[in-house]
Amino acid sequence: MTTMAPDAGAQDTTAHEAVFDAAVAAEERIEPRDWMPDAYRATLVRQIAQHAHSEIIGMQPEANWITRAPSLRRKAILMAKVQDEAGHGLYLYSAAETLGTGRDELLDKLHSGRQKYSSIFNYPTLTWADVGAIGWLVDGAAITNQVPLCRCSYGPYARAMVRICKEESFHQRQGYELLLALSRGTEAQHAMAQDAVDRWWWPSLMMFGPPDAESSHSAQSMAWKIKRHSNDELRQRFVDICVPQAASLGLTLPDPDLRWNEERGHHDFGAIDWTEFQDVLRGNGPCNDQRIGQRRRAHEEGAWVREAAAAYAAKHGKATA
Amino acid sequence: MTTAALALGDDALVLSHRLGEWAGHAPVLEEEVALANIALDLLGQARTLLSLAGDEDELAYLREERSFRNAQLVEQPNGDFARTIARQLYFSVHQHLLYGQLAAGDGPFAPLAGKAVKEVAYHRDHAEQWTLRLGDGTEESHARMQRALDALWRYTGELFEPVEGLSVDRAALREGWLAAVTEVVERATLKLPDGPQSGAWTAGAGRQGIHTEPFGRMLAEMQHLHRSHPGASW
């Protein structure tokens, strides 16, 4: 959609809106210089920033195991993954910046708690198997959420998601393969894998957000084609994907109510503890303080480095890197 | 050749581990990517080199402190960003010149060095660029960078000690290293540290399995899980 610049002042908002709505309806991509409703812009900034923050905070639970990875091969895989996450954060901040909000401002909002990140990263990684469970379940849930975003109406976000989803799928397979090695390993390794899946299963289901009936932004996001499927639809899709995968891993999912429903053609599953979800969102999860604390500390302790780079660039012209 | 493979492999393994500790703590996102990238390159080199000497995991996870052959420089704690950059500068200039020599020869390390020298050129550039920015940045960054260069200077002499099975022109290596480091340090408005590059007691100590205190703690963390499950595969 390239018909109108934001300052094409002669036309009123209604006319702009009609063009915008038509473009969205025709599955055209909205680009940074196109007119868009303020609320569309604000929703995207919020969603893309939170997505970027999640990549950055999400480095912590996994980086927690880099120095303890049990083989050099696994260590290399994990380092590469954490590096990719930093890269995803960079793509996403760039995508958010096309909407007129700078990375510094977004980071500031993360550090001051005015913008959120995915609640899943407030859970601790207590054993090596958690690295596998994160890859399989958390990345799996993220992919289920994100693949439809590759068709999101906002071009820069959709294009970032195409690149990110490719790498995420790779991580997810690696996580699955890590758990498979543990599941088929010694008794202690198998128990470690099962314990990790037991702890990460429900938090992964919460990643899809509140039930449709309570999801405040959903209807508008779907109308704008930012979102393509409801939270509950995606959650159901994820459960249906995971059940056979768990079976082939030789691991069980911690839900006594989980069973195939012939009539629906889907798995029924137990009730999610939404009180826990709300608690974690409000900052009372196991690691909220730790995660944001480390993030702030890294930023504050790095201030002199960023100042040095800026001072050097001012003296010597544009920085070389 | 085994001694040399262990010395070079342990250098890469240990420095990679230290850089891995930065994950999630870097001053800016771009450095999360850069430090992890360098750590990964070094880990790749370590795996190739240790595999020349035996089984990579057995060598990494089941040797004790006294059997590691890395130079003491690479085991030094990360400290602040300047300390990490000074360590990178001293080491990557050395590794770049060393691998350049090895790649040009026909010894057992030529194939590895030929491939790795491209990675190391990037590590060296990264360290030099940051030495310039920190040295010629603000008053604070200048002071921190100078302190870091001074503190790590004593560990650099060891890089030029003979290693059994490693055939290099050590005089040329040392001369090239000193010239390159001097050039960058001066351009960064910093001073080359005074004093001995290595005291009698530090010369060659890491290569003989004599390490500094923080190293044992680093290994305890690195090896703990592997050692807790003897014989398991991962």
Side-chain angles (χ1 to χ4, degrees), chain B residues 8 49 94-121 166-169 173:
Chain B
L8 300 183
L49 285 157
H94 165 263
Q95 204 191 16
H96 188 230
L97 297 173
L98 174 70
Y99 280 12
Q101 274 201 28
L102 293 175
D106 55 3
F109 301 113
L112 161 94
K115 180 171 167 278
V117 77
K118 293 171 215 144
E119 297 169 349
V120 179
L166 194 63
S167 105
V168 285
D169 180 346
L173 197 60

Side-chain angles (χ1 to χ4, degrees), chain B residues 13-25:
Chain B
L13 177 72
V14 170
L15 186 56
S16 164
H17 186 95
R18 284 298 189 206
L19 292 174
E21 293 172 355
W22 269 104
H25 299 271

Side-chain angles (χ1 to χ4, degrees), chain A residues 153-173:
Chain A
S153 58
Y154 189 58
Y157 192 27
R159 289 188 289 272
M161 291 321 304
V162 171
R163 298 178 64 176
I164 290 172
C165 283
K166 279 183 196 162
E167 293 177 350
E168 293 288 5
S169 312
F170 193 61
H171 298 159
Q172 202 241 355
R173 284 201 292 276

Side-chain angles (χ1 to χ4, degrees), chain B residues 164-223:
Chain B
E164 190 194 320
L166 194 63
S167 105
V168 285
D169 180 346
R170 289 190 294 122
L173 197 60
R174 184 174 198 129
E175 213 171 290
W177 182 87
L178 195 61
V181 169
T182 304
E183 193 268 332
V184 177
V185 165
E186 284 176 357
R187 208 145 50 90
T189 73
L190 296 158
K191 271 183 55 207
L192 205 66
D194 299 325
Q197 237 188 91
S198 63
W201 64 270
T202 55
R207 303 286 187 222
Q208 291 144 32
I210 303 288
H211 294 279
T212 55
E213 284 183 349
F215 185 55
R217 209 168 284 274
M218 193 206 97
L219 281 190
E221 183 173 342
M222 182 172 108
Q223 297 181 337

Side-chain angles (χ1 to χ4, degrees), chain B residues 144-156:
Chain B
R144 282 181 187 252
M145 194 62 214
Q146 187 64 59
R147 271 203 301 279
L149 290 172
D150 293 349
L152 293 174
W153 184 248
R154 66 186 305 177
Y155 300 107
T156 56

Side-chain angles (χ1 to χ4, degrees), chain A residues 6-26:
Chain A
D7 56 352
Q11 282 170 294
D12 63 19
T13 305
T14 319
H16 282 306
E17 237 161 37
V19 175
F20 173 85
D21 290 344
V24 169

